[in-house]
Amino acid sequence: MSRSTNDTTELTRFDSSDSGGVSIGDPTVGSRDSLRLMRREHSSEHQLRHDYAVMKTSQSTASVGTPSKEMEMGLENDIDNYAPSCSSEYYITRKDFGKPEPQLANVLKEFYWKEVVYARDMKLVNESFFNKIKDHVADCRFLKELFGSLKELPPIHQPFVDALKESMREPDDSKAALVAPVLLATVHNLTPLYQSLVQNFPIYISALDQLYRSKIGFRTIMSKFESSKECYTQVNWLLLKILNRLINWQPVLARIIEIQLSECGSDTETTAFGVAMDKIIEFAKKTKATRQSLEEYIHVLQVERDTGLVGILIHPNRKILRIGFVLRSARRAPCCRIMVLCSDRILFGHRGANLDGNFFTVHAEFKLKGMMIDEGDTYKVMDGEKDVITLHNADISIVFAAPDRASWIEDITEAIKNAARAKIDLPSLVMEKKEENDIDMTKVLLPEESPVSKMSPLQICWYRKCSFGRKDVNKMITNTMCGYLKRKLRNSAGWQDLWVVMCCHTLYFYRSHNDREPLAHLSLMDYGVGLPTVVDNIDNHENCFKLFYGSHTYFFRTDSYYFFERWVDSIFQAAISRDSLDVVTALALRI
């Protein structure tokens, strides 16, 4: 693949899009060329509907009859009079129906690219991270077991990675025969290892957290490593991503099996793919509860670090249901606050003065038991703010405005019901905050070493004025995508080839898949995804989509419709916002 030599310094400005609101401008009327493209698009769709109608009619009973030649000619001649849509966005060609794509080749390419990323993650943990902390974990039996188990995985994965790489050079009719037997053997050998790893992973993560809290030296090394350019996300999420490697094979294998069945592939290869899929499904069912608990546990650890409640939030009977930005009523004027909705209580916090201001201080908590919720500003104290919620308790009323009001109301209502049924009252959080449980971050990170460019979901919610729910946490690891994309800013002249990895609701940009450090990153929380419009003035719009947030717009292009569909679907799930997908894109992708 040819590589672009364009300058990439513009990518460093991605972090400037941390604030602002989503706004979608009205598209202008299309030009004469766009109308001609609309007519061609509607012509092809009309012809497809006509062919389908003729086929269905020919299969009907004799009493209905078949369409006459005059009727068919009339339908064909009426194509030029077919009224185009009033929306100028429909000028984009959805798919070239005359050029079927080699689907199996695309799926195997996606499979290979994902394995390349997993291999790099494994190397990052087993070598870069372990070499920095090996002196501190020498006395910890559980962490020695963890890294020992992780080092057993790459040699078993490697034959399958080599088979995927070799299949990209083979003709289409030989790809399945090359990959299927190696895949089945790999799944058979890996399943017991991952089963044992998942079973012991809660102990490993707890041991890592205890070491982080108890030893300042280890905490300093780990914080420096996580703030380095090489480590693109937190170590805990990296470990969890490695743990879910086989789980993320499921959707790719499902597409392979679908293609094999639709193209009448060899029974031998189809059976091998099916058996491997069954083994992974069985493994996923057995470990589902443990994996989801680990995702929520790691999320709680991150919220603890953001709020200074280290060692306090974690409780077997407490869950974090939603976090995010709210505007809470106050005596003088509404104040910006972060809100943490737990299964038993609500926490409010404000921005702290720690280093670069990325951390928060919790100053108020309210029990959910006995609380009632009203949709709206009951006491008219929010100065006309929209999306207001009022919570009533025996002693106090809480009034706040939340941009994601529907999500907040749904989660708060469910939490109040569950709290009313709970038989045990969990201890207070803020009042039990003790000095030994607090981590003085000024002793951990020096000012020049603070990770100003890497933000947690809670910190991004503060800047983007959005929220992050429990369901979104479960997608952080399972919703992944990677591959080469062509990128273009609104004001840039040409397209630039970049290797892009999507993980934890964030896009990471590299020059190539061989690079260790990302050039920049872009959090997708509250971003919108759609197709370019006429006003975007994109010359080559085939397989092109755009990401937008406020005044920030980025355009991306894929080399095939398959990857266009995969990227848009993955980004749509990662964007979280209910309004992240525009109507035209949803219709185009049948979402």
Side-chain angles (χ1 to χ4, degrees):
M1 177 180 294
S2 62
R3 310 294 303 138
S4 173
T5 58
N6 293 344
D7 186 20
T8 58
T9 55
E10 295 173 301
L11 286 171
T12 57
R13 294 200 297 269
F14 281 154
D15 290 334
S16 66
S17 62
D18 290 330
S19 60
V22 176
S23 60
I24 304 175
D26 293 331
T28 59
V29 180
S31 62
R32 182 176 301 176
D33 293 336
S34 64
L35 289 175
R36 189 181 301 114
L37 288 169
M38 281 194 294
R39 176 169 293 181
R40 184 179 66 181
E41 170 70 9
H42 285 289
S43 173
S44 61
E45 291 187 1
H46 187 276
Q47 185 63 40
L48 285 173
R49 287 196 294 268
H50 163 64
D51 295 341
Y52 178 77
V54 172
M55 179 186 68
K56 294 294 290 184
T57 308
S58 63
Q59 295 175 354
S60 61
T61 59
S63 60
V64 177
T66 58
S68 62
K69 293 183 178 180
E70 291 79 11
M71 184 183 299
E72 294 181 7
M73 292 181 63
L75 287 172
E76 293 175 353
N77 294 331
D78 193 48
I79 289 176
D80 292 334
N81 298 324
Y82 190 82
S85 170
C86 60
S87 173
S88 60
E89 295 192 16
Y90 274 99
Y91 81 97
I92 297 176
T93 303
R94 181 170 174 268
K95 187 177 180 182
D96 190 352
F97 294 95
K99 296 180 180 179
E101 300 176 1
Q103 291 290 324
L104 183 59
N106 287 331
V107 178
L108 291 179
K109 183 187 293 186
E110 178 191 354
F111 213 159
Y112 172 68
W113 282 347
K114 287 187 174 182
E115 286 301 289
V116 168
V117 174
Y118 277 115
R120 187 186 64 194
D121 292 341
M122 191 75 73
K123 189 175 181 180
L124 182 63
V125 172
N126 283 340
E127 296 181 10
S128 300
F129 181 57
F130 179 73
N131 290 337
K132 294 180 183 299
I133 65 169
K134 59 183 178 181
D135 294 336
H136 294 274
V137 302
D139 299 330
C140 183
R141 178 173 63 88
F142 296 117
L143 292 181
K144 288 171 64 177
E145 287 182 6
L146 169 63
F147 288 101
S149 300
L150 291 178
K151 290 181 179 179
E152 295 178 6
L153 300 177
I156 304 177
H157 276 284
Q158 194 57 44
F160 178 58
V161 178
D162 295 338
L164 287 173
K165 185 176 182 179
E166 187 178 351
S167 70
M168 297 174 67
R169 298 189 293 264
E170 295 292 324
D172 291 344
D173 55 355
S174 303
K175 294 179 183 296
L178 178 63
V179 172
V182 184
L183 170 67
L184 182 58
T186 303
V187 171
H188 178 77
N189 294 330
L190 285 174
T191 304
L193 295 178
Y194 277 101
Q195 187 96 27
S196 174
L197 198 58
V198 172
Q199 184 177 357
N200 296 319
F201 220 74
I203 301 175
Y204 299 152
I205 292 294
S206 297
L208 193 64
D209 178 58
Q210 288 294 329
L211 197 61
Y212 180 89
R213 287 195 281 156
S214 61
K215 291 188 177 181
I216 295 180
F218 178 82
R219 187 161 66 243
T220 304
I221 293 175
M222 186 170 175
S223 299
K224 287 181 179 180
F225 178 76
E226 290 183 336
S227 62
S228 65
K229 293 182 178 180
E230 182 182 11
C231 182
Y232 61 91
T233 189
Q234 277 195 339
V235 171
N236 286 337
W237 290 113
L238 274 176
L239 293 172
L240 199 58
K241 184 182 177 185
I242 292 172
L243 191 68
N244 283 266
R245 187 172 182 175
L246 284 185
I247 305 299
N248 287 333
W249 286 9
Q250 272 187 269
V252 185
L253 270 179
R255 287 188 284 273
I256 292 176
I257 294 173
E258 182 181 1
I259 293 170
Q260 285 290 104
L261 294 175
S262 63
E263 296 181 355
C264 300
S266 171
D267 291 341
T268 304
E269 287 83 32
T270 305
T271 302
F273 287 129
V275 173
M277 183 71 165
D278 291 339
K279 288 179 176 291
I280 294 178
I281 291 176
E282 183 181 2
F283 165 74
K285 288 181 179 179
K286 290 181 179 179
T287 61
K288 181 179 180 180
T290 305
R291 288 184 291 104
Q292 288 185 349
S293 298
L294 283 169
E295 292 166 1
E296 295 174 4
Y297 175 67
I298 291 175
H299 177 53
V300 172
L301 291 179
Q302 179 61 57
V303 175
E304 282 190 340
R305 296 183 191 180
D306 288 338
T307 57
L309 299 174
V310 176
I312 299 177
L313 271 179
I314 293 179
H315 191 280
N317 297 323
R318 179 180 289 125
K319 305 290 183 183
I320 293 182
L321 306 180
R322 183 166 293 274
I323 59 175
F325 171 91
V326 298
L327 201 62
R328 188 185 174 191
S329 65
R331 292 182 180 179
R332 295 183 179 180
C335 300
C336 297
R337 294 288 183 258
I338 57 108
M339 179 171 165
V340 180
L341 174 63
C342 301
S343 55
D344 63 316
R345 63 193 65 231
I346 292 176
L347 307 177
F348 286 97
H350 60 273
R351 279 190 62 174
N354 306 60
L355 297 179
D356 53 2
N358 281 339
F359 299 96
F360 305 92
T361 300
V362 173
H363 60 265
E365 66 172 324
F366 304 94
K367 289 185 178 182
L368 289 173
K369 180 173 285 189
M371 192 172 283
M372 296 182 294
I373 181 172
D374 284 341
E375 300 182 20
D377 188 358
T378 305
Y379 302 101
K380 309 299 180 184
V381 294
M382 291 298 291
D383 298 330
E385 287 286 342
K386 299 180 180 179
D387 302 323
V388 179
I389 302 173
T390 303
L391 299 178
H392 304 279
N393 206 339
D395 303 325
I396 193 173
S397 294
I398 308 165
V399 184
F400 62 93
D404 302 332
R405 187 175 77 157
S407 300
W408 281 108
I409 290 176
E410 180 182 355
D411 291 342
I412 292 174
T413 303
E414 187 66 24
I416 291 175
K417 292 179 181 178
N418 294 334
R421 292 192 293 263
K423 298 180 180 180
I424 302 176
D425 287 337
L426 300 182
S428 174
L429 296 175
V430 177
M431 299 305 295
E432 286 196 354
K433 184 177 178 181
K434 299 179 181 180
E435 184 178 356
E436 60 267 21
N437 287 330
D438 293 332
I439 294 179
D440 186 359
M441 299 305 294
T442 58
K443 297 180 181 180
V444 181
L445 301 175
L446 299 177
E448 64 271 13
E449 297 167 347
S450 58
V452 294
S453 62
K454 296 180 183 178
M455 293 188 294
S456 67
L458 183 58
Q459 295 161 13
I460 295 174
C461 287
W462 172 267
Y463 290 108
R464 301 269 175 89
K465 295 178 172 57
C466 59
S467 66
F468 191 75
R470 187 179 180 185
K471 295 179 181 178
D472 304 318
V473 175
N474 300 135
K475 295 180 182 178
M476 289 189 70
I477 299 301
T478 56
N479 182 29
T480 61
M481 188 61 191
C482 61
Y484 280 100
L485 290 175
K486 294 182 182 296
R487 187 225 58 161
K488 179 182 182 300
L489 298 179
R490 181 180 290 278
N491 299 324
S492 60
W495 296 85
Q496 186 178 32
D497 289 332
L498 293 172
W499 171 257
V500 185
V501 176
M502 193 192 79
C503 176
C504 299
H505 304 301
T506 305
L507 294 180
Y508 300 93
F509 303 93
Y510 300 80
R511 292 183 185 274
S512 73
H513 65 275
N514 295 318
D515 287 1
R516 296 176 58 184
E517 300 178 357
L519 298 168
H521 64 275
L522 176 66
S523 173
L524 295 171
M525 289 175 60
D526 216 35
Y527 256 77
V529 56
L531 302 180
T533 61
V534 175
V535 295
D536 292 323
N537 195 25
I538 300 297
D539 295 332
N540 189 354
H541 52 69
E542 185 178 6
N543 301 324
C544 178
F545 63 92
K546 68 177 180 180
L547 298 178
F548 54 89
Y549 175 81
S551 60
H552 304 275
T553 305
Y554 310 100
F555 301 94
F556 297 92
R557 243 176 53 213
T558 63
D559 58 1
S560 67
Y561 178 76
Y562 171 81
F563 286 107
F564 164 80
E565 197 170 35
R566 290 286 301 115
W567 273 107
V568 172
D569 181 60
S570 299
I571 291 175
F572 168 60
Q573 296 183 47
I576 296 175
S577 171
R578 293 178 180 268
D579 302 323
S580 59
L581 193 71
D582 63 53
V583 177
V584 178
T585 311
L587 292 173
L589 296 176
R590 305 296 192 264
I591 294 178

